[in-house]
Amino acid sequence: MTKPEQSAAAAETKAPAIYIYDTMARRKERFEPLVPGKVTMYVCGPTVYDLIHIGNARPLIFFDVVHRYLKQFYDVTYAVNFTDVDDKLIRRAEETGREVPELAERNIEDYLTDAKTLKALPATLHPRVTENMQEIIAFIEELVTRGFAYESGGDVYFRTGTFPGYGKLSHQNLEELQFGSRIAVDERKASPLDFVLWKAAKPGEISWPSPWGEGRPGWHIECSAMARKYLGDTIDIHGGGMDLTFPHHECEIAQSEAITGKPFARYWMHNAFLNLNNEKMSKSLGNVVNARELAARHKPEAIRFLMLSTHYRNPLNFTEEGLEQARNGLERIENCRSNLKHLLENATSDAPAPADVLQRLDAIRGAFHAKMSDDFNTPDAITAVFELVAEANAAMAGGAAPASLLREIDGLFKEMDAVLGILTEEGDDLLDDDIERLIEERTAARKARDFARADEIRDLLSSLGIVLEDTPQGIRWKRK
Ligand code: AMP
Ligand code: ZN
């Protein structure tokens, strides 16, 4: 169950044996990074035409936990790309009378704010399509030169038949795919399975010059080109939602491996989908909840708790009741921690911590790591946090626990939370920036005569204890 080209990494770092379910191998495999001590991670990020919804928040939070966990043992380079030009962005810009770069910039800022609100640690890199155009074009040129791609009427397509491995990630072979493909006949393509690398610009569309004329890249090529530029020919972990397995990741593999002849990613990780009240979230059903709105109504810690209470490879049903339960669970932990803090501030006993309790704390720490290193089993890791709560409550009963024991317990809570990010630290309250952003949004809604939205934001702020005052100088706000 080991990978080719494996290194002696595990022996050289203090990492536990970590097993990751690899979509390609269809089983858990021992994690060994290509370069000892270093991990490269690439997760396909958002197409920045709108705010992210809570479905998008699932990979955001889950891969943040993977990043946080691996960071303890490895030097991790974590890249999340921004697709800042594509059909959806062009359409949305047209609809709203804005320019694509302005729309993208605004949504990137919003994404970064939301990621921070949801307590995701910053990624190392956020490469953008528009800032890597030279590399993307050079990648396509190489594919054309080497016979893997062809130009057709200003577009460029990947000739899927030249890459026998096409389908290996989603476990389909080329014949099956051809047989099953209901893709409409497109005379620009030599075969229906060929996919676009470069799209000729329509009149008036944003475009870049290229050897094939003005145009823009297709979606798949950006990840191959940017992953190679920033992380090298082979990345350790490639992640995303399971909808990306086919065709997106399959196409990335074809492009990258055609050029390099090396495995594109050593481990492929895919999160299952999030449903809202047992329904798929979709624009047509009108049940899309944006992450920002939810995070304004609920503690981000409760959102993370709920997201991490289901294993990432299982579908997650997101409900208000689930959030309520998450809040109750968190409250049990928070109560325990505030008692702990209080006792620590007033502890008088400097007796050594009892050996049997220390042993049990070690067992809890061991269980936490055993679960996290078993394909990031966050629900069971959360169970370990509750075992710590029970142990802490027992130790604190009577009020005479020695300070050294209380510090051990506090340290273990912090150690676990460095990975999960579900506990509130002092100063984590609603930030002024967030309030001001909501007020801005309300002002914009009123300008656009969207009074329903404006009222909704006023009510939301009110429920958060914020009062708005209309003054001649503009809106002022204060906490109730
Ligand atoms: P998109 O902007 O649609 O490309 O999505 C960004 C990321 O969110 C991708 O990894 C998607 O697979 C993921 N994603 C989108 N919708 C959901 C959902 N309902 N549940 C879980 N992941 C999702
Ligand atoms: Zn991608």
Side-chain angles (χ1 to χ4, degrees), residues 405-460:
L405 175 60
L406 298 171
R407 272 196 297 273
E408 279 293 327
I409 295 173
D410 190 46
L412 187 47
F413 269 122
K414 288 191 172 126
E415 212 178 299
M416 291 168 158
D417 199 51
V419 177
L420 300 172
I422 55 176
L423 301 180
T424 316
E425 295 303 335
E426 272 163 44
D428 269 0
D429 289 338
L430 189 67
L431 297 172
D432 291 4
D433 277 0
D434 299 328
I435 296 166
E436 268 156 29
R437 193 174 287 277
L438 279 167
I439 292 174
E440 251 176 52
E441 202 183 327
R442 177 172 173 262
T443 310
R446 286 174 75 173
K447 254 200 207 130
R449 308 189 65 77
D450 183 355
F451 298 114
R453 176 74 192 131
D455 287 349
E456 205 175 280
I457 296 172
R458 191 200 50 219
D459 293 348
L460 173 66

Side-chain angles (χ1 to χ4, degrees), residues 36-300:
K38 295 198 163 143
V39 173
T40 52
M41 232 175 116
Y42 185 101
V43 172
C44 299
T47 303
V48 287
Y49 71 103
D50 207 343
L51 288 172
I52 58 161
H53 58 63
I54 57 170
N56 306 133
R58 187 173 196 194
L60 170 62
I61 291 171
F62 170 66
F63 287 107
D64 171 57
V65 169
V66 174
H67 177 207
R68 283 167 175 254
Y69 193 64
L70 294 175
K71 223 164 83 63
Q72 302 184 106
F73 315 112
Y74 297 101
D75 170 10
V76 182
T77 308
Y78 178 29
V80 178
N81 65 301
F82 289 134
T83 303
D84 61 349
V85 59
D86 91 324
D87 293 349
K88 283 189 232 154
L89 270 144
I90 291 174
R91 207 173 323 125
R92 180 61 61 91
E94 269 170 15
E95 284 163 10
T96 54
R98 284 192 279 178
E99 298 296 327
V100 169
E102 177 204 345
L103 176 67
E105 194 57 48
R106 172 70 203 236
N107 284 312
I108 288 172
E109 265 174 45
D110 284 343
Y111 169 92
L112 294 171
T113 307
D114 293 348
K116 194 168 163 209
T117 306
L118 292 169
K119 300 178 69 169
L121 297 186
T124 323
L125 297 161
H126 282 297
R128 305 178 187 192
V129 176
T130 59
E131 290 173 357
N132 290 281
M133 212 45 91
Q134 288 313 316
E135 289 78 4
I136 294 172
I137 291 171
F139 204 110
I140 302 173
E141 273 189 294
E142 194 173 345
L143 285 169
V144 172
T145 311
R146 293 177 50 188
F148 294 110
Y150 56 94
E151 190 263 351
S152 170
D155 294 344
V156 180
Y157 295 94
F158 188 90
R159 199 184 293 280
T160 310
T162 58
F163 186 73
Y166 192 75
K168 66 181 174 179
L169 178 69
S170 51
H171 307 101
Q172 313 172 77
N173 64 38
L174 267 175
E175 287 94 80
E176 276 166 10
L177 280 168
Q178 250 139 17
F179 186 72
S181 90
R182 295 204 191 86
I183 307 164
V185 178
D186 180 341
E187 64 248 21
R188 287 168 302 183
K189 295 189 198 177
S191 153
L193 284 185
D194 293 352
F195 56 88
V196 74
L197 300 172
W198 185 262
K199 291 183 178 191
K202 297 199 186 84
E205 273 181 3
I206 185 167
S207 66
W208 286 260
S210 82
W212 318 285
E214 287 285 321
R216 64 177 187 280
W219 174 32
H220 315 306
I221 193 69
E222 67 183 79
C223 293
S224 284
M226 297 194 290
R228 187 179 194 201
K229 173 176 172 186
Y230 293 103
L231 305 178
D233 288 351
T234 297
I235 48 189
D236 289 311
I237 297 175
H238 196 320
M242 62 184 276
D243 59 319
L244 301 186
T245 311
F246 183 85
H248 184 54
H249 289 162
E250 207 71 76
C251 296
E252 288 185 17
I253 292 173
Q255 297 158 161
S256 295
E257 297 190 2
I259 293 287
T260 68
K262 299 177 195 163
F264 179 43
R266 290 165 67 77
Y267 304 87
W268 286 93
M269 297 181 71
H270 293 100
N271 65 273
F273 256 44
L274 174 149
N275 295 316
L276 187 70
N277 303 317
N278 282 315
E279 274 186 340
K280 187 178 174 345
M281 247 191 331
S282 77
K283 287 246 156 63
S284 55
L285 288 170
N287 63 350
V288 178
V289 175
N290 78 46
R292 167 164 303 184
E293 234 170 85
L294 195 83
R297 278 193 289 119
H298 297 276
K299 276 177 80 166

Side-chain angles (χ1 to χ4, degrees), residues 360-371:
R360 289 201 295 276
L361 293 182
D362 253 355
I364 293 171
R365 177 183 284 112
F368 180 82
H369 281 286
K371 296 306 179 182

